[in-house]
């Protein structure tokens, strides 16, 4: 058993004191009727005299964050989910026994307060306690107030302490569900239906990514944790559901950095009788609505740059952007060998599975991607890297876009490939790439091809990273700030 610190020993002695007084150190139900921020907003304009005359009752609960007292009078700040509010306590109101419980309380203890709203001589809206209820004893001291958890890794490992001490962490934690609700509301009003599809599957598809593999004991088969929801959702379009979306977790067995976590959240949206431009309109509307819902503005600053999320966003072909940066025009007739020569001259490694389109994409990633700052739909991706998107008039390219903001990708969308013959051929080419060493290539999904043979209407589809959108709208530098429990390396 670990050795207790001096403070922890003292707190355990106070726990015994509570038990001797007949008070359960870990409390009971308490009916919370009011919250700190709501009280402050509601009565922010009332004077000290007006509040006395109004005699407003308040019942709050929270964690003690500051505490001071002298003689028979004391003050403390308690913190609920919205913020902090000051509590004023007096022995002549609480009684000697209850006041003694207050005096022996520690920073971090959780208490319930009933009283009346008033304003102190310094003007701070507070609650004068008429009843004090101990609710839960904190046996560990909180980190020192002004420094909190200074080790970033520890903040993520002990998110519960981070949420107590870090107001910004709490803001992000509450902002994320608001953003998700805004997306759901936006799509619901457009007639989309929210659905759920399987997390476990036997075929790798819907994206180019390395999977997590698990084993189903009863069936005695290996299964993948999904890397995308795409193929299941498009089966629903075949089934006639017309407009569907899913907000769900995906799992990719890849690297971790400020933009990537192996377990992350996306939304995928599919709309029958739509196309690439329809998905552009939907995407910019959805993002703009989320920005306005959370921040009341389309304007924001992120990573040292100012962005406007007000539609419409720029729409640029990938090949045009590459030409602007390098002078190379990939629209021209060009053999694979010619493209390969250009790649080697520009320091681009050509892997064994590369085709013409892989080289075009490599040029984009090296010379263009990080230079895109304002919201821009980049469309016209090569067919080799877009096995689920419909071909453009130039069959080397597809009706696909990615949305870039500040040099990072936020969304990916297609005019969906609904030709089962073409789709089967694309899957076969993916299998060839896998044999040549591309671990991210899709597998053959025979059932999906069969579904397309029943007929899928012309369809637009879009996937958007929820975590990155939350980062952008809350100004969070790392994806670990917006995931409550990010994946972490094991401690030694």
């Amino acid at each position: 058993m670990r050795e207790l610190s001096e403070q922890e020993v003292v707190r355990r002695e106070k726990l015994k004191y509570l038990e001797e007084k007949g008070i359960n150190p870990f409390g009971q139900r308490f009916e919370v009727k009011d919250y700190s921020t709501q009280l402050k907003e509601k009565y922010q304009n009332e004077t000290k005299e007006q509040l006395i005359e109004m005699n407003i009752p308040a019942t709050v609960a929270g964690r003690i964050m500051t505490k001071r007292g002298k003689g028979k009078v004391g003050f403390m700040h308690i913190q609920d989910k919205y913020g902090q509010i000051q509590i004023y306590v007096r022995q002549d109101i609480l009684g000697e026994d209850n006041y003694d419980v207050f005096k022996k309380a520690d920073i971090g203890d959780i208490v319930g307060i009933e009283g009346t709203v008033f304003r102190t001589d310094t003007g701070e809206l507070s609650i004068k306690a008429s009843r004090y209820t101990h609710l839960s004893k904190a046996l560990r001291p909180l980190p020192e107030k002004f420094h909190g958890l200074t080790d970033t890794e520890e903040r993520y490992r002990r998110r519960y302490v981070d949420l107590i001490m870090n107001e910004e962490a709490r803001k992000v934690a509450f902002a994320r569900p608001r953003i998700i609700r805004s997306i759901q509301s936006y799509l619901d009003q457009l007639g989309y239906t929210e659905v759920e599809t399987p997390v476990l599957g036997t075929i790798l598809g819907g994206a180019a990514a390395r999977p997590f593999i698990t084993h189903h004991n009863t069936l005695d088969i290996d299964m993948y944790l999904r890397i995308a929801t795409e193929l299941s959702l498009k089966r629903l379009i075949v089934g006639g559901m017309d407009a569907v979306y899913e907000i769900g977790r995906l799992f990719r067995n890849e690297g971790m950095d400020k933009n990537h976590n192996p377990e992350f959240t996306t939304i995928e949206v599919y709309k029958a009788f739509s196309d690439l431009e329809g998905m552009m309109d939907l995407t910019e509307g959805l993002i703009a609505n989320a920005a306005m819902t959370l921040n009341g503005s389309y304007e924001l600053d992120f990573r040292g740059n100012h962005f406007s999320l007000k539609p419409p966003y720029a729409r640029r072909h990938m090949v045009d952007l590459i030409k602007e940066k390098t002078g190379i025009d990939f629209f021209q007739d060009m053999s694979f060998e010619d493209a390969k020569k250009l790649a080697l001259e520009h320091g681009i490694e050509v892997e064994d599975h590369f085709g013409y389109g892989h080289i075009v994409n490599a040029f984009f990633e090296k010379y263009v991607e990080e230079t895109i700052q304002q919201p821009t739909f980049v469309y016209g991706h090569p067919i080799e890297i877009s096995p689920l998107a419909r071909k453009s008039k130039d069959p080397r390219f597809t009706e696909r876009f990615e949305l870039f903001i500040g040099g990072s990708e936020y969304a990916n969308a297609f005019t969906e490939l609904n030709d089962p013959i073409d789709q089967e051929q694309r899957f076969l080419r993916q299998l060839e790439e896998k044999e040549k060493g591309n671990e991210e290539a899709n597998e053959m999904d025979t059932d999906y091809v069969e579904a397309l043979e029943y007929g899928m209407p012309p369809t637009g589809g879009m996937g958007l990273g929820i975590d990155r959108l939350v980062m952008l709208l809350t100004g969070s530098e790392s994806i670990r700030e917006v995931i409550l429990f990010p994946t972490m390396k094991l401690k030694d």
Side-chain angles (χ1 to χ4, degrees):
M1 189 174 178
R2 70 180 181 87
E3 186 176 343
L4 299 178
S5 69
E6 183 178 340
Q7 282 195 56
E8 288 175 305
V9 170
V10 171
R11 285 171 181 250
R12 279 163 172 75
E13 290 172 354
K14 291 180 179 179
L15 182 147
K16 293 177 183 175
Y17 158 82
L18 291 169
E19 290 175 332
E20 290 168 359
K21 299 262 306 178
I23 298 171
N24 183 347
F26 303 105
Q28 65 283 320
R29 176 175 173 169
F30 185 85
E31 198 71 35
V32 178
K33 298 179 181 177
D34 305 286
Y35 294 94
S36 57
T37 303
Q38 293 171 352
L39 288 172
K40 289 178 179 180
E41 289 175 353
K42 189 172 183 180
Y43 301 112
Q44 61 182 336
N45 297 321
E46 310 296 342
T47 66
K48 181 179 179 180
E49 292 71 25
Q50 287 171 325
L51 288 172
I52 292 172
E53 186 176 328
M54 294 165 75
N55 193 33
I56 303 153
T59 305
V60 297
R63 187 182 299 274
I64 300 174
M65 300 302 291
T66 69
K67 180 172 174 281
R68 67 188 191 277
K70 188 173 182 181
K72 300 178 181 180
V73 175
F75 287 91
M76 62 181 175
H77 283 87
I78 67 170
Q79 179 171 286
D80 59 23
K81 69 177 181 177
Y82 294 116
Q84 295 188 13
I85 192 164
Q86 182 170 256
I87 310 298
Y88 173 58
V89 294
R90 294 175 57 103
Q91 180 177 304
D92 60 351
I93 296 176
L94 295 183
E96 193 171 333
D97 280 354
N98 256 354
Y99 190 75
D100 195 46
V101 173
F102 158 75
K103 285 201 300 182
K104 285 189 165 56
D106 288 305
I107 303 295
D109 287 359
I110 298 170
V111 299
I113 300 294
E114 296 174 56
T116 53
V117 178
F118 81 111
R119 198 175 294 282
T120 64
D121 291 338
T122 60
E124 183 173 355
L125 192 82
S126 307
I127 297 174
K128 183 184 293 183
S130 57
R131 187 176 180 188
Y132 176 100
T133 305
H134 170 87
L135 293 175
S136 192
K137 184 67 191 167
L139 298 182
R140 282 182 184 250
L142 293 174
E144 195 270 318
K145 176 184 175 183
F146 295 102
H147 298 98
L149 287 175
T150 53
D151 184 333
T152 303
E153 292 283 313
E154 279 303 300
R155 284 185 52 224
Y156 304 142
R157 290 183 197 281
R158 293 196 284 158
R159 182 66 85 185
Y160 44 91
V161 181
D162 187 37
L163 291 170
I164 295 170
M165 302 302 298
N166 184 349
E167 185 178 355
E168 281 304 310
R170 289 196 303 279
K171 283 183 180 178
V172 172
F174 286 115
R176 182 184 177 107
R178 286 185 62 199
I179 293 168
I180 291 172
R181 295 293 179 275
S182 79
I183 292 170
Q184 291 170 314
S185 176
Y186 185 81
L187 292 172
D188 291 347
Q189 289 174 18
L190 291 175
Y192 285 77
T193 301
E194 185 172 12
V195 297
E196 294 177 312
T197 62
V199 172
L200 289 173
T202 56
I203 294 173
L204 184 64
R210 296 176 64 178
F212 285 94
I213 302 173
T214 187
H215 188 79
H216 192 294
N217 291 333
T218 301
L219 296 177
D220 193 24
I221 57 172
D222 285 343
M223 301 188 79
Y224 300 116
L225 295 181
R226 67 186 180 191
I227 59 171
T229 53
E230 177 166 348
L231 298 184
S232 294
L233 291 171
K234 287 198 286 194
R235 285 174 168 90
L236 300 179
I237 297 296
V238 172
M241 292 192 71
D242 184 68
V244 296
Y245 72 94
E246 179 172 12
I247 298 173
R249 289 294 178 94
L250 303 183
F251 307 86
R252 297 184 181 177
N253 198 352
E254 299 171 344
M256 298 189 298
D257 57 33
K258 66 180 181 180
N259 289 324
H260 296 89
N261 191 69
E263 179 181 1
F264 61 102
T265 303
T266 67
I267 178 170
E268 290 201 30
V269 180
Y270 293 88
K271 177 72 173 70
F273 314 112
S274 187
D275 64 1
L276 193 70
E277 290 195 4
M279 290 299 104
M280 288 179 179
D281 296 339
L282 179 77
T283 303
E284 61 191 12
L286 184 151
I287 291 174
N289 178 69
M292 189 59 71
T293 298
L294 185 70
N295 299 323
S297 173
Y298 299 124
E299 308 297 313
L300 56 86
D301 295 306
F302 184 57
R303 292 179 176 169
N305 291 300
H306 182 79
F307 301 101
S308 175
L309 299 180
K310 184 177 181 179
Y313 303 162
R315 304 180 181 194
R316 302 295 309 281
H317 197 289
M318 178 183 284
V319 171
D320 290 331
L321 290 169
I322 294 170
K323 184 178 179 181
E324 287 179 9
K325 295 295 181 183
T326 67
I328 298 171
D329 185 0
F330 282 104
F331 278 135
Q332 293 183 348
D333 288 336
M334 188 183 302
S335 69
F336 171 71
E337 290 303 322
D338 290 338
K340 182 177 179 180
K341 183 180 178 182
L342 285 169
L344 295 176
E345 289 173 356
H346 286 78
I348 292 172
E349 181 183 354
V350 179
E351 299 181 32
D352 290 342
H353 68 273
F354 269 24
Y356 178 82
H358 293 103
I359 292 173
V360 175
N361 187 60
F363 268 90
F364 173 78
E365 289 180 347
K366 181 172 182 178
Y367 290 102
V368 181
E369 185 169 318
E370 292 185 358
T371 70
I372 300 173
Q373 290 304 310
Q374 293 303 317
T376 301
F377 293 116
V378 177
Y379 65 93
H381 292 59
I383 194 168
E384 290 92 335
I385 63 166
S386 311
L388 299 166
R390 178 178 286 188
K391 291 176 186 175
S392 301
K393 290 179 181 178
D394 182 335
R396 295 174 297 174
F397 305 101
T398 61
E399 295 185 22
R400 173 186 175 188
F401 77 70
E402 290 177 299
L403 172 64
F404 288 91
I405 305 172
S408 293
E409 177 205 340
Y410 283 80
N412 185 27
F414 312 146
T415 299
E416 300 298 336
L417 176 58
N418 62 343
D419 177 344
I421 298 171
D422 190 0
Q423 183 64 80
E424 185 172 27
Q425 292 171 347
R426 305 266 197 107
F427 279 146
L428 289 171
R429 284 199 291 272
Q430 288 284 297
L431 292 178
E432 291 172 5
E433 284 193 25
K434 189 177 282 288
E435 289 176 3
K436 292 179 180 179
N438 184 0
E439 296 179 354
E440 296 184 349
N442 284 204
E443 295 181 351
M444 172 62 76
D445 191 335
T446 305
D447 180 78
Y448 178 66
V449 174
E450 182 179 317
L452 292 184
E453 289 175 346
Y454 281 94
M456 183 172 85
T459 297
M462 184 274 292
L464 181 144
I466 294 292
D467 308 297
R468 289 190 187 179
L469 181 61
V470 175
M471 288 169 62
L472 178 70
L473 296 182
T474 61
S476 300
E477 289 291 324
S478 168
I479 195 170
R480 293 182 176 187
E481 296 287 355
V482 303
I483 296 175
L484 286 173
F485 299 100
T487 304
M488 304 291 293
K489 293 179 182 177
L490 294 176
K491 296 179 84 171
D492 293 336

